[in-house]
Amino acid sequence: MNLSTILLAMAPAEQAAPPPNDAQGGPWSMPIQASTFAPETDAIYLFILVLSLISFVGIVGATLYFMKAYRRRSADQKTSSITHNGKVEFLWSAIPAVLLVVIFLWSEVAFMKQVVPPPDAIDIRVKGQKWFWTAEYPANPGVQLNNEIIVPVGVPVRVTLTSQDVIHSFFIPAFRVKRDAVPGRYTTVWFEATRPGRYNLFCAEYCGDQHSEMRGVVHVLPADEYEAALAEAGRLEQEEGESLAAFGERIYVRKGCNACHSTDGTTKTGPSWKGMYGAERTFADGSSGTVDDNYIRESILEPNAKVVSGFTPQMPSFQGQLNDDQITALIEFMKTLK
Ligand code: CUA
């Protein structure tokens, strides 16, 4: 099983849109090269890999040869007195030193390019939290995407990262970029996508039991389709002819509720929504109540008010992230999960 197959198997399955297509296409089974950084990063990686292979074969080969050539031939054979060989000692120090300096300089030059974004980069703010990503576009107020980032091709993008809870790591393999999202501070990473497509976004820092579920899609579009797609993706309203429950199901996926709440009875971080509406619940403080419209609304806006017994208060408040119509639609969706 090579890297491509693994990445392909990890692609988000619940997305209705086609899965990320970055699993194949790069050199040596690596993901496709989809940013301006990718070719150079891969070249350095392959340089170090080939150098390591040559060193490995050389060292192990010499060891085997010496074992045979200088083995003890009889019980009374004495070890001859060993002096030193200046020429050989110089070479085995100088050659690796030069190679290490080459690796350092090449990597440093490539790394510095990734530190400071060009001044004309567009801004995206990304927040990580257990266990999903939220993206906001300062130039497009109101657009808030969950587990999805839309970027134009051929335009530098600066991503300012932070975290709501623990350390996460923002990793786009196809772009060869990775940066930690740290609570209480901002970190930045930038890239310029070079080919349209859908690419995997992973969390690359173990952040709790749903860490492997914390993934999204980077959607790279031609520059002239970018603004329209962003406006469309940011719109989360009931469509013409769409039932309230169907709209609620879309919100369930788009807003990342699915990261912690199953619809099939499986217990994830939060209670499953299956059969939840109308059920009796005991809360952590010993009180109890019925799951009705008001309880659900309160739990979305103030998740810690009544935590179901057996669960920990981990849910973030969705105050300001969901309007009344969207909450109503979610409740209607919950009612259908018998
Ligand atoms: Cu977030 Cu791992």
Side-chain angles (χ1 to χ4, degrees):
M1 195 183 219
N2 64 18
L3 191 60
S4 332
T5 350
I6 296 168
L7 284 176
L8 205 60
M10 287 165 76
E14 70 274 15
Q15 307 273 345
N21 59 358
D22 56 349
Q24 285 145 339
W28 296 65
S29 273
M30 286 199 280
I32 211 165
Q33 296 179 334
S35 82
T36 52
F37 298 147
E40 189 170 32
T41 303
D42 288 2
I44 297 171
Y45 175 79
L46 289 176
F47 177 73
I48 296 173
L49 184 69
V50 169
L51 212 55
S52 306
L53 276 174
I54 293 171
S55 310
F56 177 79
V57 170
I59 291 167
V60 173
T63 307
L64 293 174
Y65 170 76
F66 290 147
M67 278 166 68
K68 181 161 168 29
Y70 300 104
R71 69 189 185 279
R72 194 183 197 194
R73 282 159 213 273
S74 66
D76 56 354
Q77 187 184 6
K78 293 237 167 41
T79 305
S80 54
S81 114
I82 299 166
T83 61
H84 69 104
N85 182 325
K87 204 182 275 176
V88 173
E89 285 169 20
F90 175 78
L91 285 178
W92 82 44
S93 306
I95 294 174
V98 168
L99 289 172
L100 289 177
V101 169
V102 168
I103 292 174
F104 167 73
L105 288 177
W106 191 5
S107 308
E108 178 68 8
V109 167
F111 178 71
M112 289 313 286
K113 284 184 210 159
Q114 304 195 13
V115 173
V116 184
D120 59 339
I122 60 170
D123 266 308
I124 305 180
R125 305 197 79 95
V126 172
K127 185 174 71 180
Q129 66 193 75
K130 295 192 276 186
W131 284 276
F132 58 96
W133 301 100
T134 311
E136 288 183 329
Y137 292 71
N140 306 65
V143 175
Q144 189 183 58
L145 307 178
N146 285 88
N147 290 334
E148 183 180 16
I149 293 174
I150 297 178
V151 298
V153 75
V155 179
V157 174
R158 170 178 42 220
V159 178
T160 306
L161 295 158
T162 190
S163 165
Q164 174 109 336
D165 36 44
V166 299
I167 299 178
H168 303 276
S169 182
F170 179 86
F171 178 35
I172 308 172
F175 292 177
R176 314 291 191 270
V177 296
K178 185 193 278 179
R179 187 74 80 242
D180 278 4
V182 183
R185 71 162 70 167
Y186 298 107
T187 49
T188 59
V189 63
W190 81 275
F191 53 77
E192 182 180 325
T194 51
R195 60 169 89 202
R198 297 170 60 80
Y199 306 107
N200 281 300
L201 162 66
F202 292 132
C203 177
E205 181 74 47
Y206 182 69
C207 54
D209 63 355
Q210 300 290 314
H211 157 72
S212 62
E213 299 288 321
M214 189 169 167
R215 60 199 178 186
V217 170
V218 181
H219 199 179
V220 180
L221 289 169
D224 55 343
E225 294 172 23
Y226 164 70
E227 286 288 344
L230 199 56
E232 177 60 29
R235 205 167 59 91
L236 193 50
E237 293 163 5
Q238 193 175 4
E239 303 288 348
E240 186 92 17
E242 183 183 42
S243 74
L244 214 44
F247 176 43
E249 185 169 10
R250 278 202 298 131
I251 299 169
Y252 167 74
V253 175
R254 276 277 299 281
K255 287 292 174 184
C257 312
N258 56 356
C260 300
H261 299 282
S262 78
T263 54
D264 60 0
T266 336
T267 298
K268 293 166 109 177
T269 308
S272 174
W273 287 2
K274 184 182 167 73
M276 183 180 72
Y277 190 87
E280 291 295 321
R281 284 281 191 269
T282 310
F283 304 119
D285 63 2
S287 64
S288 60
T290 309
V291 178
D292 58 10
D293 295 26
N294 281 313
Y295 170 71
I296 294 167
R297 185 186 156 80
E298 180 188 55
S299 297
I300 291 172
L301 302 178
E302 277 180 72
N304 297 342
K306 294 195 185 85
V307 177
V308 174
S309 159
F311 291 90
T312 49
Q314 299 223 27
M315 180 168 153
S317 168
F318 280 77
Q319 186 91 49
Q321 299 203 33
L322 290 170
N323 61 33
D324 285 345
D325 292 347
Q326 293 165 338
I327 293 174
T328 306
L330 276 175
I331 294 172
E332 288 305 317
F333 173 53
M334 289 172 193
K335 283 185 188 169
T336 66
L337 304 166
K338 301 242 187 305

